[in-house]
Amino acid sequence: MNHRWRTLDIVVAAVIAVAFGVIFWAWGLVWRAADPLFAFFPPSQALIYGVWLVPAVLGGLVIRKPGAALFCEALAATVSALLGSEWGGVTIAQGLIQGLGAEVAFAAFRYRSFKLPTAALAGALTGLGAALFDFFVWNTEYALWAYRIPYALFTIVSATVIAGVGGWYLTRALAGTGALDRFAAGRERRTV
C-alpha cells in the first residue's frame, strides 16, 4: 500500500475537516442548549459528545494514510476555534489528542483494515483521548466518581457509536454516491 499523500487526499481531508469544523462550532451551540435535558445526571451529556469526534474516524476511513485521522480532527478543531468556539484555542490541542486516538487504531492495523470493528476501535480510542483531555483539563473541579468517571465512560461509548460506527456508515453512504470512487473506500463499494 502506498502511504504517500496525493493532492486529492489533501484536498478531501481538508474538505472533511473544514465541514466538520463548522459542524463543531454549531454542535457547541447545541451542547449548551441541551444542558437542561441532562440536568438529571449531568455526566450523561457526554452521550452526545461523539459528534465532535467523527472527522478523525471518517478521515482515516476515507484517506487511509498515516496522519489522516489526526489531520482531519486537528484541522476541524482549529476551524471551530477560528469560528469562535466558546472553548477557544484550547480546542486545537484537544483536537490533536482526539485525532491521535483514531490514528493509533488505524496504525495498529498498519493502515490495512478499515472494517467496522476497526472503525469502532478508532472511535473508542478517539473517545478515550477526548475523555482523558476533559478529565485533566476541563473537568478537574468535578467529583471523581459522581462526575468525571461517568463522563469519561459516556464519552467513550458515544465516540464508539457515533464516531466509530457512525463514521463507518457515513463512509459507506458517501461511497454509495460515487463521491469516493477515486479512493479505496469507493472502489470497495463497487466490488461488494
Side-chain angles (χ1 to χ4, degrees), residues 165-184:
V165 175
W168 187 79
Y169 278 108
L170 179 56
T171 303
R172 289 180 57 99
L174 288 170
T177 68
L180 301 180
D181 284 352
R182 305 236 359 236
F183 294 88

Side-chain angles (χ1 to χ4, degrees), residues 82-172:
L82 291 172
L83 290 174
S85 163
E86 75 174 88
W87 298 282
V90 176
T91 59
I92 297 168
Q94 192 168 14
L96 286 166
I97 299 297
Q98 293 165 347
L100 275 174
E103 202 65 50
V104 166
F106 292 119
F109 294 98
R110 300 176 59 205
Y111 300 93
R112 292 183 180 169
S113 175
F114 302 95
K115 297 182 179 187
L116 181 57
T118 305
L121 177 63
L125 292 181
T126 300
L128 177 62
L132 289 172
F133 188 90
D134 290 358
F135 195 91
F136 292 109
V137 175
W138 298 118
N139 297 335
T140 56
E141 73 276 5
Y142 295 108
L144 183 66
W145 292 104
Y147 188 91
R148 291 167 72 191
I149 299 289
Y151 183 93
L153 294 174
F154 286 138
T155 299
I156 294 166
V157 167
S158 176
T160 302
V161 173
I162 297 173
V165 175
W168 187 79
Y169 278 108
L170 179 56
T171 303
R172 289 180 57 99

Side-chain angles (χ1 to χ4, degrees), residues 6-29:
R6 306 170 295 172
T7 302
L8 181 63
D9 298 329
I10 296 166
V11 170
V12 170
V15 167
I16 290 169
V18 171
F20 272 94
V22 174
I23 291 168
F24 284 5
W25 172 81
W27 196 247
L29 300 175

Side-chain angles (χ1 to χ4, degrees), residues 49-64:
Y49 197 120
V51 171
W52 279 311
L53 307 172
V54 172
V57 178
L58 182 64
L61 291 172
V62 171
I63 307 300
R64 298 184 176 189

